[in-house]
C-alpha cells in the first residue's frame, strides 16, 4: 500500500521554539553536517515515505520532502530530499548544496526539465532571477534554516550565487 505524502506547509515567518533551534544548531555543526552529507541524505527519503510525509517535521526540525525531477542528461526520474518552505502557495527550494562549490544535481535537472514533484504535489519550477525577489526569498530562507546563511558565506567568496527556485503548483 502506497501512503499519501502530503506536503507539509512551511510558514517561513513562524516563530521557532527551543527544540527547533537546538535541532537547527546541531544541523549547522560539523558533526551535524557530516551526518547530513553521509547518512541522512540516504535514509531521509525512506523515512519520509515510511511515515507518510510526517518525517522529519514530526521531530520538530526543518521540513524536508522528496523532490522528484527528470535527469538533465539521462531523462530518468531522480529523487532528492530537500529542505523547502512556502511563499504563499508556492514552494521555495534553495539549491545550496551544503555551501559547496557547485550547484546540486537537481539544479541542472530543474533547468532542463522544470516539471517536478515535491511530496505528492506537482509543480513547475522557475529560477528566481529578479534581484529583489531573490533577496526577499533568501531572507525568508534564513528564517526557516539559519544554515542557509552559513552556506551563502561559504559560496560568496567563490563567486557562486546560490540559486533559488519558485515551484508553482500545476
Amino acid at each position: 500500500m502506497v501512503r499519501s505524502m502530503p506536503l507539509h506547509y512551511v510558514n517561513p515567518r513562524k516563530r521557532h521554539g527551543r527544540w527547533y533551534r537546538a535541532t537547527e544548531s546541531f544541523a549547522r555543526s560539523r558533526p551535524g553536517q557530516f551526518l547530513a552529507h553521509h547518512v541522512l541524505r540516504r535514509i531521509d527519503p525512506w523515512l519520509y515515505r515510511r511515515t507518510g510525509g510526517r518525517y522529519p517535521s514530526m521531530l520538530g526540525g526543518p521540513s524536508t520532502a522528496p523532490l522528484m525531477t527528470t535527469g538533465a542528461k539521462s531523462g530518468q526520474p531522480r529523487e532528492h530530499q530537500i529542505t523547502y518552505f512556502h511563499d504563499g502557495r508556492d514552494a521555495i527550494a534553495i539549491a545550496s548544496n551544503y555551501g559547496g562549490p557547485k550547484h546540486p544535481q537537481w539544479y541542472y535537472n530543474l533547468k532542463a526539465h522544470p516539471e517536478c514533484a515535491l511530496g505528492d504535489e506537482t509543480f513547475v519550477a522557475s529560477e528566481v532571477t529578479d534581484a529583489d525577489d531573490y533577496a526577499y526569498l533568501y531572507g525568508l530562507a534564513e528564517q526557516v534554516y539559519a544554515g542557509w546563511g552559513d552556506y551563502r558565506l561559504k559560496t560568496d567568496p567563490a563567486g557562486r550565487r546560490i540559486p533559488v527556485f519558485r515551484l508553482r503548483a500545476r
Side-chain angles (χ1 to χ4, degrees):
M1 177 173 141
V2 176
R3 285 186 173 180
S4 175
M5 294 184 292
L7 190 61
H8 176 74
Y9 186 86
V10 179
N11 180 353
R13 293 177 182 84
K14 179 183 177 185
R15 293 187 60 130
H16 302 297
R18 283 187 215 161
W19 180 252
Y20 187 97
R21 290 191 308 271
T23 302
E24 178 183 60
S25 180
F26 175 74
R28 295 171 67 193
S29 71
R30 187 173 287 234
Q33 286 290 295
F34 179 86
L35 188 66
H37 287 235
H38 301 288
V39 178
L40 295 178
R41 70 183 221 163
R42 296 184 194 328
I43 64 171
D44 276 0
W46 180 83
L47 287 169
Y48 185 89
R49 283 190 299 275
R50 189 78 177 134
T51 63
R54 293 186 316 273
Y55 172 86
S57 62
M58 66 191 223
L59 300 177
S63 292
T64 69
L67 174 67
M68 298 301 296
T69 63
T70 301
K73 293 179 183 175
S74 70
Q76 298 299 309
R78 300 290 183 226
E79 181 180 51
H80 316 271
Q81 195 80 7
I82 66 166
T83 304
Y84 67 95
F85 63 95
H86 285 86
D87 180 39
R89 293 188 54 203
D90 298 338
I92 307 298
I94 310 294
S96 64
N97 201 21
Y98 304 103
K102 297 179 180 176
H103 299 323
Q105 189 58 48
W106 61 262
Y107 165 84
Y108 302 102
N109 296 350
L110 287 182
K111 292 295 284 183
H113 306 282
E115 301 81 20
C116 62
L118 186 61
D120 268 351
E121 298 179 27
T122 57
F123 295 92
V124 175
S126 61
E127 186 173 357
V128 175
T129 56
D130 177 75
D132 292 337
D133 197 25
Y134 180 90
Y136 165 74
L137 291 172
Y138 212 94
L140 290 178
E142 290 173 330
Q143 291 177 42
V144 172
Y145 174 60
W148 277 320
D150 301 340
Y151 300 154
R152 185 160 42 178
L153 290 174
K154 288 169 69 175
T155 59
D156 279 352
R160 180 166 94 83
R161 180 177 183 234
I162 296 174
V164 173
F165 281 91
R166 184 176 291 278
L167 307 179
R168 290 200 163 90
R170 287 174 63 191

